[in-house]
Amino acid sequence: MLDILLTLLRPDTLLAMVGGTALGVVVGAIPGLGSILGLSVVLPFTFGMDALPSIVLLIGVYAGSVYGGSVSAILINMPGTPQSAATSLDGYPMAVGGQPGLAIGWATLASLVGGTFSAVVLMLIAAPVATFSLRFGPPEFFALTLMALTCVVAVSRGSVIKGLIAAVVGLFVAVVGSDPMTGDLRFDFGVLELSGGVNRVAVLIGLFALSEVFMQARSVDTPTAVDTSALAFRLPPWSAVAARLKTLLKSCLIGTGIGILPGTGATAASFISYVEAKRSGRFRANFGKGEPEGIIASEAANNAVTGGALVPSLALGIPGDAVTALIVSLLIVKGVQPGPFLFMRDPGFIHSLFAAFIIINILMALIGAALTGVFARILAVPTAILLGAITLFSMIGAYSLAGSGADVITCLVAGVVGFVLRLAGVPLAALAIGLVLGPLVEESLRQSLIMTDGSFVAIFLRPYSGAVLVLTVALLAAVTLGNRGERPQRTTDEVA
Amino acid sequence: MARLFARPVMRALAALGLAVSLAPAAHAADPLTLIVPWGAGGSSDVYARTLALSMEKTLGTDIVILNRPGAAGTLGTTEVARAKPDGNTVGVSALAPFTMQPHLRHLAYDVSSFDYICKPYSSPMALVVSDDSDFKTLDDVIGYAKAHPGELKYGSPGPGSLPHLAMVELGQKAGVEWTHLPTQGGDTGNVRNLLGHHIDMVPIQIVPIASNPIRPLAVFTDERLADLPDVPTVKELGYDMAHVIWGAMFAPKGVDPARLAQLEDACAAAVASDEYQSLLETVKVPDLYTGMDETNSFAVEESDKFKRLLAAAGMTQQ
């Protein structure tokens, strides 16, 4: 135990943890720039570093950026990263309601709890959980994506039909490009750039950041009154937290679970967790109006994904997303081979990594608290300048994804489409869910049909996929019945 | 694949960062642009960056690496094809964008649009099953497949990928049918499906074999590998075929032959460098370097072979 602590207190490890986390928070907070950009910035620094400091540097950036996205989601209704899109649903109304500092406090607390929870899960049961998750094959993934898609119904306040249309649009955008099973090109219209598919991150940046810029640009002359006294970072009182403890824990579980399974990620996790809290939370009636329970549902879940995603990465050497793929590759070239044997051969390293992960989550909260005052000052920046800067960052972010002008155009088009959809009261969250899950839905369904010789029924005649389907139907019934009591509201800023 | 190569990337990135920050005053010559039609940290990227370390010194110019991923590598490769043939823009990529994709999509180039300066890497593949599989040899697999047509499922990183086409060819030569289950996520996604018994076998590269409970049955190279001396080649088991994931440095047609020769020499020296050799060792890739003449004719042979195999796989011919 003592030697683990001593490794972590080495100056290079310490510097990597603090520096990586701080950079992650800042990059995450700037709309348009995200986790991947932050990681590419620090990658060169791992040259010449030992295994542990270089890994904690990457993990710090990863966890920090997922948390940082919430800051701009709350303050200016533009999620800094797609992972925090669901946070703006209640975070922004709360900030507008005069409590930006407290809203960030909730997000920070939830991120801290979510991240730490997943770290403990990682520490305790990484190996068995990762092995169990192998039983989830294509049919199980298809069942899970079906369950996630039912969330569309729940996020579609106002009009379920509009939500479903948006989800189908999202699914359709994900279909453009090469067919995952046959390689045939679809909907490319002879344009080479389209034959590789639409860059989904560019779409998300346009959809959430740019379209909000357009929304705010409509009323840019209206001066925003900023109550500077409320900008200071404030943690919620314990009694308020205690009342929302169930949602907090549930969101941790949802995030960790989704993180363990490959291909879904933090964006979907935060939406799914938000929807679940909206269905079952104690304060569900206030959702969308600045209810902290909505903030914690989103933020606990997206940060819990970070630890969850490390479970299969470390225990099996099988990364679930682009970020953990980079971490796994770094481990391998540093001479640490992730996989079932790592836990037996090098327990010291693993325990140091776990401890570092928990420390990073604490650092993240401290850095977030310290920087809130700085971040909150962006509220005092004249709106026109702020909107200009965010447009610029969104373009840079979209270009940096692949160095391609096509992605910038994609981002702009998505921004305009998002703007129109907002005006029409179409929930963007539904579109995002369709878009994010689209490739997984298609791949898992097509693979399943290959496995079952084309039988849709046989997909669900397996224990886990069948169980997930039953759960989905139950959820759908619960959400539908729950919605019946609510009067549909139609508002134009039904944003997501 | 991408995950196997990060250290050299870091090393290269760091060196490159230094080079970029310190070099402008030092070199008067135009920089050499290496276009990598794949993402940063991918295997082609790592090879390119490691080659660049030594080539900067040999050529005495700065080297700028541009990652231009997208559309299965064809976006960046198109950029190379359209570049001015002044010898200052070349591409580095594994084989698919120039030997396979022209058979699959309408592109502004085909295999004959480039001069292939050198072949700096050739990553072998092995057909693997999980440790608890009943199949101990390739003959076991083929015997079972003969008795149960279409029942065995093999994975690949995607339709038209080299593992896919290798299995199509092996199926042809052995006279058996098996089912293709492509999975995104490269070798790791396929290892996951193998360990979860969602597929029966998959051709993957060599590095993951040692760290996972999986068993290699045969390698697709011409000769046995030093890293897997007991694993027979597909060829010695009676199936006359070989596949390897090779990569080339390539220039648009029309570059001055003297410049091409200069780049070829620099590539050869870079492959022989300590950094590059230690990269090959880390990723368990044998040094199968060939120069321009041999690589040029090899590229054409491979392109013809893939045209035939893609047709056999029923993939769209355009």
Side-chain angles (χ1 to χ4, degrees):
Chain A
M1 198 61 214
L2 191 67
D3 48 326
I4 289 172
L5 220 59
L6 285 178
T7 7
L8 292 178
L9 287 176
R10 274 175 40 187
D12 53 348
T13 315
L14 217 53
L15 188 66
M17 282 195 287
V18 178
T21 313
L23 180 85
V25 173
V26 172
V27 168
I30 299 174
L33 312 184
S35 311
I36 295 287
L37 187 79
L39 288 170
S40 356
V41 171
V42 299
L43 215 54
F45 292 100
T46 55
F47 165 67
M49 285 165 74
D50 286 343
L52 191 64
S54 47
I55 295 302
V56 299
L57 180 63
L58 295 196
I59 293 179
V61 172
Y62 181 30
S65 61
V66 171
Y67 159 72
S70 69
V71 175
S72 36
I74 289 169
L75 291 180
I76 51 177
N77 201 20
M78 295 176 211
T81 59
Q83 293 105 314
S84 286
T87 309
S88 59
L89 293 176
D90 275 287
Y92 182 62
M94 191 169 180
V96 169
Q99 292 181 306
L102 184 61
I104 293 180
W106 277 105
T108 308
L109 180 77
S111 300
L112 170 65
V113 174
T116 313
F117 179 89
S118 69
V120 173
V121 169
L122 179 65
M123 191 181 275
L124 294 180
I125 50 170
V129 165
T131 309
F132 176 76
S133 80
L134 286 177
R135 296 190 198 181
F136 276 60
E140 287 72 27
F141 277 107
F142 180 62
L144 282 171
T145 56
L146 270 192
M147 182 155 93
L149 281 175
T150 59
C151 293
V152 167
V153 176
V155 290
S156 308
R157 287 164 302 169
S159 164
V160 173
I161 297 293
K162 282 182 184 173
L164 291 176
I165 291 173
V168 171
V169 170
L171 284 172
F172 182 76
V173 171
V175 160
V176 175
S178 143
D179 183 307
M181 295 297 123
T182 66
D184 292 329
L185 298 180
R186 308 174 300 192
F187 307 106
D188 66 325
F189 305 105
V191 178
L192 183 58
E193 280 77 10
L194 279 182
S195 72
V198 177
N199 190 314
R200 288 179 294 149
V201 181
V203 173
L204 290 173
I205 293 174
L207 209 55
F208 289 111
L210 272 190
S211 75
E212 177 64 20
V213 167
F214 298 151
M215 287 300 282
Q216 296 196 11
R218 288 196 311 160
S219 55
V220 75
D221 294 332
T222 328
T224 36
V226 185
D227 180 6
T228 42
S229 66
L231 292 183
F233 179 84
R234 210 144 53 83
L235 277 176
W238 167 246
S239 58
V241 178
R244 295 165 179 85
L245 208 55
K246 201 182 91 184
T247 294
L248 186 59
L249 290 179
K250 204 190 260 179
S251 305
C252 291
L253 280 172
I254 292 174
T256 309
I258 288 176
I260 290 171
L261 297 169
T264 317
T267 308
S270 61
F271 276 120
I272 290 167
S273 165
Y274 181 85
V275 166
E276 170 56 22
K278 188 170 174 285
R279 187 188 67 79
S280 66
R282 187 163 153 194
F283 300 92
R284 57 182 173 272
N286 295 331
F287 268 50
K289 300 171 199 155
E291 167 53 45
E293 198 165 18
I295 302 177
I296 57 177
S298 164
E299 280 303 309
N302 66 20
N303 276 88
V305 166
T306 57
L310 284 173
V311 168
S313 306
L314 292 175
L316 297 173
I318 296 170
D321 59 17
V323 180
T324 43
L326 207 60
I327 291 173
V328 167
S329 69
L330 188 61
L331 276 172
I332 291 176
V333 297
K334 295 285 180 193
V336 182
Q337 183 67 55
F341 305 126
L342 176 62
F343 290 78
M344 288 176 271
R345 283 185 199 153
D346 207 349
F349 178 81
I350 278 290
H351 287 131
S352 307
L353 197 56
F354 290 153
F357 191 59
I358 291 178
I359 294 173
I360 282 170
N361 274 287
I362 295 167
L363 280 173
M364 179 183 85
L366 292 176
I367 291 169
L371 287 181
T372 299
V374 181
F375 285 137
R377 279 191 209 146
I378 62 173
L379 287 178
V381 173
T383 316
I385 293 173
L386 184 64
L387 296 185
I390 288 168
T391 309
L392 182 68
F393 279 125
S394 300
M395 300 289 101
I396 294 172
Y399 185 75
S400 73
L401 296 171
S404 155
D407 291 341
V408 178
I409 297 171
T410 303
C411 177
L412 273 171
V413 171
V416 173
V417 170
F419 174 61
V420 172
L421 292 181
R422 280 183 201 243
L423 290 181
V426 174
L428 295 185
L431 203 160
I433 291 175
L435 181 71
V436 169
L437 293 176
L440 192 58
V441 173
E442 181 179 14
E443 185 183 41
S444 60
L445 173 61
R446 302 274 299 274
Q447 288 177 328
S448 301
L449 289 174
I450 291 176
M451 293 171 73
T452 62
D453 286 327
S455 162
F456 281 89
V457 175
I459 294 177
F460 298 105
L461 294 180
R462 294 157 56 111
Y464 298 110
S465 59
V468 174
L469 183 71
V470 169
L471 202 61
T472 307
V473 173
L475 264 177
L476 198 59
V479 171
T480 314
L481 293 177
N483 277 354
R484 190 168 287 176
E486 288 178 24
R487 283 173 61 90
Q489 310 158 351
R490 284 170 189 276
T491 55
T492 45
D493 29 43
E494 184 80 358
V495 289
Chain B
M1 180 82 181
R3 67 197 185 86
L4 313 175
F5 299 98
R7 173 184 278 168
V9 180
M10 312 307 152
R11 198 180 284 163
L13 276 174
L16 201 69
L18 280 176
V20 168
S21 56
L22 301 176
H27 302 296
D30 285 336
L32 174 68
T33 301
L34 289 187
I35 294 179
V36 177
W38 307 97
S43 59
S44 294
D45 183 61
V46 176
Y47 290 117
R49 286 176 195 275
T50 313
L51 288 174
L53 288 179
S54 151
M55 288 182 67
E56 276 199 328
K57 284 178 237 154
T58 331
L59 295 170
T61 53
D62 294 329
I63 294 183
V64 179
I65 293 181
L66 291 182
N67 294 100
R68 289 287 180 267
T74 56
L75 291 183
T77 307
T78 302
E79 212 169 301
V80 179
R82 288 182 177 155
K84 199 161 61 160
D86 57 5
N88 286 330
T89 305
V90 298
V92 175
S93 171
L95 69 171
F98 41 83
T99 58
M100 296 178 184
Q101 290 296 334
H103 305 308
L104 295 168
R105 330 178 172 225
H106 291 290
L107 294 170
Y109 66 86
D110 63 20
V111 70
S112 65
S113 307
F114 306 103
D115 277 311
Y116 300 86
I117 297 164
C118 59
K119 186 179 72 171
Y121 57 96
S122 305
S123 181
M125 293 190 301
L127 181 67
V128 300
V129 296
S130 69
D131 262 353
D132 53 8
S133 167
D134 291 334
F135 302 128
K136 309 287 182 206
T137 66
L138 184 62
D139 283 343
D140 292 350
V141 175
I142 286 171
Y144 187 91
K146 277 201 171 125
H148 306 83
E151 194 181 310
L152 289 182
K153 290 184 288 291
Y154 67 94
S156 91
S161 62
L162 195 58
H164 174 205
L165 298 183
M167 290 305 285
V168 168
E169 186 169 24
L170 184 57
Q172 274 184 341
K173 303 244 163 175
V176 297
E177 277 176 41
W178 34 47
T179 303
H180 181 211
L181 196 81
T183 294
Q184 270 155 42
D187 283 354
T188 53
N190 280 300
V191 169
R192 182 183 190 284
N193 274 348
L194 192 65
L195 297 180
H197 303 108
H198 309 297
I199 54 175
D200 301 292
M201 57 191 157
V202 57
I204 59 170
Q205 293 171 84
I206 306 308
V207 169
I209 293 175
S211 55
N212 285 287
I214 52 182
R215 179 166 61 232
L217 300 183
V219 289
F220 287 96
T221 37
D222 278 316
E223 284 165 28
R224 289 192 184 208
L225 299 173
D227 284 305
L228 299 171
D230 302 329
V231 181
T233 66
V234 174
K235 202 171 262 180
E236 67 187 85
L237 293 171
Y239 309 100
D240 185 20
M241 56 181 280
H243 290 281
V244 64
I245 301 175
W246 60 278
M249 179 177 292
F250 54 101
K253 271 269 157 72
V255 176
D256 175 40
R259 173 65 173 169
L260 286 177
Q262 189 191 15
L263 290 171
E264 184 188 3
D265 290 346
C267 178
V271 169
S273 69
D274 288 348
E275 286 105 339
Y276 198 82
Q277 287 295 322
S278 85
L279 165 65
L280 292 183
E281 204 172 308
T282 314
V283 299
K284 302 190 179 178
V285 166
D287 182 357
L288 300 172
Y289 174 87
T290 57
M292 187 150 53
D293 291 342
E294 221 174 313
T295 312
N296 270 332
S297 49
F298 185 59
V300 175
E301 273 168 43
E302 289 275 284
S303 174
D304 291 345
K305 176 170 86 178
F306 295 132
K307 186 173 186 183
R308 184 171 51 76
L309 289 175
L310 286 165
M315 295 190 62
T316 326
Q317 300 285 299
Q318 292 180 347

